[in-house]
Amino acid sequence: AASIALASEPPTDQLLERPPVNRNDSIVTARMMLNIGGMAVYEVGLMCFLLWVYEWIPDLEAYDGDVITGKKSRHYTILFNTFVLLQVCNEYNSRFLRGEWQIW
């Protein structure tokens, strides 16, 4: 995540004027822990919801049409794609660690 933050945006004067960080300070701040915990709860909740309550998704009925892929291959494909998309969004949004609301 740090490499994306360094490669995607040029350093600002505000960033360059910050005082140095103590070597003994924790790398993970309280805000980071809050962001990590919030995203974990959101992602696990969404994935569990999609895993167990999937009848509302259109064209997702399980059928034994293909022996190789199995009955629920479409369902598991949607779960996997949702997980990957959540990780991409999380990677992009983790560039801001001080409470900024600039996602674009």
Side-chain angles (χ1 to χ4, degrees), residues 44-95:
V44 168
L46 180 64
M47 295 303 288
C48 288
F49 175 75
L50 288 176
L51 180 63
W52 291 311
V53 185
Y54 59 89
E55 291 86 14
W56 59 273
I57 301 174
D59 198 30
L60 197 61
E61 59 273 348
Y63 62 95
D64 292 327
D66 193 0
V67 180
I68 296 173
T69 58
K71 292 175 73 170
K72 292 190 157 200
S73 65
R74 287 185 184 181
H75 182 211
Y76 295 144
T77 301
I78 289 174
L79 281 174
F80 176 75
N81 288 333
T82 302
F83 177 76
V84 170
L85 187 61
L86 285 170
Q87 297 311 308
V88 169
C89 292
N90 192 17
E91 181 79 24
Y92 182 76
N93 289 327
S94 66
R95 298 176 303 139

Side-chain angles (χ1 to χ4, degrees), residues 28-45 90:
V28 181
T29 64
R31 180 168 296 275
M32 286 183 200
M33 287 301 289
L34 184 66
N35 289 345
I36 291 169
M39 280 304 295
V41 167
Y42 174 70
E43 288 184 19
V44 168
N90 192 17

